[in-house]
Amino acid sequence: AIVEEVEQLQSLLTGVRNISRIDAGQDLEETKELPVNLYISNIVEHFQKKYDHASIKAQLSEKEILLSIPENYLYRICDNLIGNAVSFGNKILVSTAFIQSQNQKDSDIFVLIVEDNGPGIREDSTEKIFDRFYSERTENENASVQDKTHTGLGLSIVKAIVDSLEGEITVAKSSNLGGAKFKVSLPLNLNK
């Protein structure tokens, strides 16, 4: 019990430290141009091996997209969204898209969508789930240690990252799988 409590406190402190650094703009690594389809397919493959009880599929855009982003930001976004999806469902679809701007003053947009077949997000919770320390999870004594150390910071970290990149994150019901559908939209041409 003491070890589990210490792990939960460590997880909580790490999450608070991460989100504070993102808010303060101190968490930026060097920005790299990442080929996101290749990067995300590697992440999906990693998660499929890690969570062999779930079916995690990638549906990537035909066009390879280069996104200027700190590599740890893209990893954290994927890690939190896919990790949450796996904890609520056993079928996960990760897809990417490219939206070309219709005029020169707007940026082209990279879109990442993670959806699952879990219970979904209650309509009255769609804004609250991005709040720090908010969680829809119920206490389950049979839950894994990872689920028990859940801090309610994962989605707020994703939101902080997306906001810092001048993007947008939304949640809705998945028409494909019936659970939650998280959509991250990031401009490809950041002026930072």
Side-chain angles (χ1 to χ4, degrees):
I2 291 171
V3 170
E4 285 181 10
E5 288 295 322
V6 168
E7 287 176 357
Q8 187 166 6
L9 282 173
Q10 285 177 328
S11 180
L12 180 65
L13 289 173
T14 300
V16 169
R17 187 174 340 126
N18 287 341
I19 203 163
S20 296
R21 290 178 68 186
I22 293 166
D23 285 346
Q26 298 173 342
D27 197 43
L28 286 175
E29 290 180 352
E30 183 180 321
T31 298
K32 297 179 182 178
E33 281 211 339
L34 293 177
V36 291
N37 284 345
L38 176 62
Y39 190 84
I40 289 172
S41 69
N42 288 337
I43 289 174
V44 167
E45 187 177 315
H46 165 76
F47 270 92
Q48 185 60 71
K49 289 177 183 171
K50 184 176 178 179
Y51 299 106
D52 58 357
H53 67 279
S55 169
I56 307 171
K57 302 289 183 203
Q59 189 174 40
L60 306 176
S61 71
E62 290 181 21
K63 177 179 180 173
E64 179 57 87
I65 302 161
L66 292 176
L67 179 64
S68 293
I69 188 172
E71 188 173 353
N72 72 330
Y73 275 15
L74 186 56
Y75 180 80
R76 283 190 200 174
I77 289 169
C78 293
D79 182 48
N80 281 315
L81 293 180
I82 297 171
N84 274 354
V86 167
S87 69
F88 287 104
N90 61 2
K91 289 185 182 173
I92 289 83
L93 178 62
V94 179
S95 53
T96 62
F98 170 76
I99 302 171
Q100 193 161 11
S101 171
Q102 299 302 314
N103 60 54
Q104 291 198 356
K105 81 174 189 180
D106 292 333
S107 177
D108 295 336
I109 303 292
F110 162 68
V111 177
L112 170 70
I113 297 172
V114 178
E115 47 196 318
D116 63 62
N117 68 336
I121 307 292
R122 291 191 336 253
E123 203 170 310
D124 62 334
S125 297
T126 56
E127 291 300 318
K128 292 189 273 187
I129 60 169
F130 297 110
D131 292 345
R132 294 171 189 182
F133 307 111
Y134 181 81
S135 178
E136 290 275 313
R137 296 172 199 260
T138 58
E139 287 299 318
N140 178 356
E141 58 189 57
N142 296 325
S144 69
V145 172
Q146 182 179 359
D147 286 341
K148 286 183 179 179
T149 59
H150 176 75
T151 60
L153 288 172
L155 290 176
S156 58
I157 289 173
V158 171
K159 178 133 176 53
I161 290 170
V162 170
D163 288 349
S164 76
L165 297 171
E166 300 174 11
E168 179 182 35
I169 183 167
T170 59
V171 62
K173 183 172 179 68
S174 168
S175 57
N176 287 334
L177 299 175
K181 175 182 178 180
F182 286 87
K183 179 180 176 184
V184 173
S185 302
L186 297 173
L188 289 176
N189 308 321
L190 286 174
N191 297 320
K192 291 191 174 182

